[in-house]
């Protein structure tokens, strides 16, 4: 399977934060969800992959080409939606279209016009008067109106109402129908990621803890429930993380090391993320 | 690059309208006072200040982050500020010359001195612009205000101090030579200023 994006040994050191040796691959035709706590390194990784920061080491390959040196060609085929609108607020959708058609060689004015209608975006209203949902929809329309093969979406669904979120998720799934298309999606809304992602990458304190196929990941772990004593007696090497409360305890364990005779539930992405977080504390 | 220029023009359309209105009002005031050319310097200063508004709009909207995800070079991103600033200053320079020519024609006087004065202020405005842009790229609009205040006040104070000393002022022929060399000097300064801005911009993390 060919690769839409490959990050190799990306590191970046700031005064208060370090991104450690990030390696990840997004196969073409797939959606990768990127999860982690606030400040874990999601946006820094996104910035590194788009050349917005200068990594201390590592390489980025997009569609098989090394990013450095081919940036302008490569960016023609990347659509980006940030966690907030980055368009100057005085502009309206029509003016944005006029700007973008002069920037992107592959800009499709007809598609832009149609998408504005489909997304119910007012063409002459200033962006400053848009709701957050409208701003995100406009960003999405811009990202889809040129020959984007890779969508990079940083918290694009955060802060949106369920209807708009659902609409955007459907858009992602439509986009991915073309096997040349891929999406990198960071979000705190893990239920969204469970719905649409093929791969999940978890970053914590600047380190990638895992990057795996979502279905395999969800089969890989189980949540074992029992009394505090039962949970404490589990083989320590088999416990990824545990939590205790007044009524008992539960632990995340690999399915392959599931203890006999104990009650267990399937682990969702949110459970896996939470237990991995607890393990470290 | 055309797209980036349009983006800035759309973003600044309100400010540009405001500036045009201010110019119109000053021209009317000047006409009523009998010296329509008196405010040419202010217009040129206003034009060079447009770049600060341009940077301010970019900072406010995070456009700098977004534009770097698009298929444009850093040279183009920086170049837009120069293009916009120089276009504004040149437009006002031409406008001032037209006002001077019309006024001189109506009042039947030789406009040579006024043209020279306008050119002098034009070169000062271009100089101001070319110093200002690298500072704005490096520091952003907030910090740049303090830096620019120092950049302009210190030479002014030095000049004022020198004028109070026995040091002789430049002669007319020296000023003429400087005027003749000024296009070349401005071109050189433009090249240096752009190179410095680009250097700062390339080092930036967004």
């Amino acid at each position: 399977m060919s690769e839409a994006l490959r990050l190799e040994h990306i590191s970046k050191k700031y005064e208060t934060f370090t991104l450690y040796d990030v390696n990840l691959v997004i196969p073409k035709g797939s959606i990768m969800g990127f999860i982690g706590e606030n400040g874990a390194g999601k946006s820094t990784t996104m910035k590194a992959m788009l050349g917005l920061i200068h990594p201390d080491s590592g390489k980025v390959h997009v569609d098989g080409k090394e990013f450095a040196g081919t940036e302008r060609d490569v960016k023609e085929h990347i659509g980006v939606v940030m966690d907030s609108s980055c368009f100057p607020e005085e502009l309206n959708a029509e003016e944005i279209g006029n700007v973008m058609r002069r920037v992107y060689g592959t800009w499709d004015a007809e598609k832009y016009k149609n998408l504005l209608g489909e997304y119910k975006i007012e063409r002459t209203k200033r962006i400053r008067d848009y709701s957050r949902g409208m701003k995100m929809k406009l960003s999405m329309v811009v990202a889809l109106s040129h020959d984007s093969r890779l969508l990079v979406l940083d918290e694009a669904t955060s802060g949106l109402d369920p209807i708009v979120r659902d609409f955007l998720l459907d858009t992602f799934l439509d986009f991915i129908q073309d096997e040349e298309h891929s999406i990198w999606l960071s979000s705190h809304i893990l239920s969204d990621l469970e719905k649409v992602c093929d791969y999940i990458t978890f970053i914590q304190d600047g380190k990638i803890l895992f990057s795996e196929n979502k279905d395999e990941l969800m089969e890989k772990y189980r949540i074992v429930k029992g009394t505090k004593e039962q949970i404490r007696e589990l083989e320590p090497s088999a416990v990824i993380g545990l939590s205790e409360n007044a009524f008992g305890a539960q632990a995340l364990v690999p399915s392959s090391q599931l203890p006999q005779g104990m009650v267990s539930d399937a682990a969702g992405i949110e459970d896996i993320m939470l237990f991995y977080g607890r393990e470290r504390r | 690059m055309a797209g980036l220029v349009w983006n800035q023009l759309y973003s600044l359309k309100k400010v540009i309208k405001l500036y045009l209105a201010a110019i119109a009002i000053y021209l009317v005031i000047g006409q009523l006072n009998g010296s329509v050319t008196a405010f040419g310097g202010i217009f040129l200063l206003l034009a060079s200040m447009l770049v600060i508004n341009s940077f301010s709009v970019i900072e406010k909207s995070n456009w700098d982050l977004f534009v770097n995800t698009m298929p444009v070079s850093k040279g183009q991103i920086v170049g837009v500020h120069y293009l916009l600033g120089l276009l504004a200053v040149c437009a006002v320079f031409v406008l001032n010359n037209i006002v001077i020519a019309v006024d001189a024609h109506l009042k039947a006087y030789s406009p040579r001195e006024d043209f020279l004065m306008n050119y002098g202020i034009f070169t000062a405005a271009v100089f101001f612009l070319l110093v200002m842009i690298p500072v704005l790229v490096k520091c952003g609009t907030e910090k740049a205000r303090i830096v620019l205040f120092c950049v302009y006040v210190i030479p002014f104070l030095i000049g004022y101090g020198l004028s109070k000393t026995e040091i002789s002022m430049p002669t007319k022929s020296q000023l003429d030579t400087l005027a003749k060399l000024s296009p070349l000097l401005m071109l050189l300064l433009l090249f240096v200023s752009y190179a410095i801005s680009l250097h700062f911009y390339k080092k930036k993390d967004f």
Side-chain angles (χ1 to χ4, degrees), chain B residues 17-179:
Chain B
K17 278 182 195 166
L18 206 68
Y19 278 14
L20 289 174
I23 288 174
I25 290 167
Y26 276 121
L27 284 176
V28 170
I29 293 170
Q31 183 63 33
L32 293 174
N33 289 338
S35 79
V36 76
T37 60
F39 299 108
I42 295 174
F43 301 162
L44 277 167
L45 187 70
L46 276 178
S48 61
M49 299 289 274
L50 194 67
V51 168
I52 297 181
N53 292 96
S54 173
F55 272 89
S56 177
V57 164
I58 285 173
E59 278 176 21
K60 205 175 150 194
S61 62
N62 263 337
W63 174 252
D64 240 3
L65 183 72
F66 192 67
V67 77
N68 276 283
T69 69
M70 304 199 308
V72 290
S73 69
K74 291 196 181 342
Q76 288 177 326
I77 298 169
V78 170
V80 166
H81 298 298
Y82 285 89
L83 192 63
L84 195 72
L86 290 172
L87 273 177
V89 171
C90 289
V92 173
F93 174 63
V94 171
L95 175 77
N96 281 348
N97 278 340
I98 293 170
V99 170
I100 290 166
V102 171
D103 193 52
H105 178 72
L106 292 176
K107 292 176 185 166
Y109 67 88
S110 165
R112 190 175 183 278
E113 288 292 309
D114 286 353
F115 280 142
L116 282 176
M117 176 68 85
N118 189 36
Y119 181 71
I121 298 169
F122 168 70
T123 54
V126 171
F127 176 78
F128 181 70
L129 195 71
L130 297 181
V131 173
M132 190 163 56
I133 293 175
V135 177
L136 285 164
V137 170
K138 175 75 180 164
C139 308
T141 51
E142 283 301 314
K143 283 185 197 164
R145 283 175 200 172
I146 302 159
V147 178
L148 287 171
F149 180 77
C150 298
V151 165
Y152 293 106
V153 167
I154 292 168
F156 173 77
L157 290 177
I158 292 170
Y160 181 76
L162 287 175
S163 71
K164 296 287 175 194
T165 65
E166 296 294 311
I167 295 170
S168 58
M169 290 291 114
T171 63
K172 190 176 177 304
S173 70
Q174 282 171 328
L175 285 175
D176 281 347
T177 311
L178 190 66

Side-chain angles (χ1 to χ4, degrees), chain A residues 12 14 46-47 50-54 71-73 75-76 78 80-82 84-92 94-96 98-100 102-105 126 128 139 142, chain B residues 1-15 57-58 60-74 76-77 200-206:
Chain A
K12 174 77 178 174
Y14 293 100
M46 183 269 293
K47 287 177 180 178
L50 293 171
L52 297 172
I53 57 172
H54 301 89
E71 273 192 41
R72 282 185 70 183
D73 287 345
K75 284 176 178 174
E76 182 70 44
I78 300 180
V80 180
V81 179
M82 303 284 184
S84 61
S85 163
C86 294
F87 300 121
E89 301 236 299
E90 284 302 313
L91 274 68
N92 59 41
E94 206 161 287
E95 290 165 344
I96 294 284
N98 285 336
V99 170
M100 294 304 161
R102 292 177 169 94
V103 170
Y104 288 99
R126 282 185 309 179
R128 72 153 56 156
S139 300
V142 169
Chain B
M1 179 134 173
L4 304 184
V5 175
W6 274 105
N7 180 67
Q8 289 312 96
L9 289 176
Y10 283 136
S11 309
L12 294 169
K13 63 187 172 207
K14 243 183 171 177
V15 180
V57 164
I58 285 173
K60 205 175 150 194
S61 62
N62 263 337
W63 174 252
D64 240 3
L65 183 72
F66 192 67
V67 77
N68 276 283
T69 69
M70 304 199 308
V72 290
S73 69
K74 291 196 181 342
Q76 288 177 326
I77 298 169
F200 287 153
Y201 197 77
K202 279 184 173 172
K203 290 205 152 204
K204 266 189 170 184
D205 277 346
F206 296 95

